[in-house]
Amino acid sequence: MKPTTLLTILALSLSPTGTLAACGKVTNNSGREMRYTTNPNPNLSARPGRCRFWNWYDGDGPLSLIPRDKTVSCDQVRLASGSSAGNCPVDVDGFTFANDAYWIGARRVGAGVWTKFPDIVDVTCRRVPVTGSILCTLI
């Protein structure tokens, strides 16, 4: 890779404050409509929408390492199959399928229940041909 290419990539990855930015991304290849959010907030007055996460982490104590079910405020954006969103400057923080259950590894997540993921993660969801299930991988 040329040094100028590397510098361009680095410059595109910087936040407005000049620090390296990491931004979550979702890719929807499921054949169904996905929804994502970029701004979940535990303050229920912050946004008009609601997202119920099965794996919300909060706090600084030892219990903050245990995910819990939590409803937070959020904006919900629709994402058609065959599309993706995020990857700086947009940081996707969570996703769901409003009308379909989906799988993350061996965990089945119900329709309309949100999954939160870290900024450095790319999520890809696809339909499994034999079963018709939606399988999401986090990389």
Side-chain angles (χ1 to χ4, degrees), residues 15 17-18 26 36 52 74 79 82 89 95 99 125 131-132 135:
S15 72
T17 62
V26 289
Y36 70 89
R52 187 180 128 231
C74 67
L79 185 65
F95 71 95
N99 301 310
C125 297
T131 65
L135 176 63

Side-chain angles (χ1 to χ4, degrees), residues 55-135:
N55 65 335
W56 186 267
Y57 295 85
D58 59 359
D60 294 327
L63 294 178
S64 68
L65 300 174
I66 301 169
R68 65 186 184 108
D69 188 280
K70 184 166 180 126
T71 299
V72 300
S73 67
C74 67
D75 291 330
Q76 299 182 16
V77 182
R78 296 172 187 264
L79 185 65
S81 185
S83 303
S84 60
N87 205 23
C88 291
V90 176
D91 176 23
V92 175
D93 296 311
F95 71 95
T96 191
F97 289 88
N99 301 310
D100 297 279
Y102 57 98
W103 292 84
I104 298 175
R107 181 180 181 94
R108 183 182 184 277
V109 181
V113 178
W114 289 76
T115 296
K116 187 163 181 7
F117 59 92
D119 293 343
I120 60 171
V121 171
D122 287 352
V123 176
T124 300
C125 297
R126 63 181 177 84
R127 184 164 294 280
V128 178
V130 175
T131 65
S133 300
I134 298 172
L135 176 63

Side-chain angles (χ1 to χ4, degrees), residues 41-59:
N41 190 322
N43 176 356
L44 292 177
S45 300
R47 303 269 186 264
R50 298 289 180 265
C51 296
R52 187 180 128 231
F53 286 91
W54 68 268
N55 65 335
W56 186 267
Y57 295 85
D58 59 359

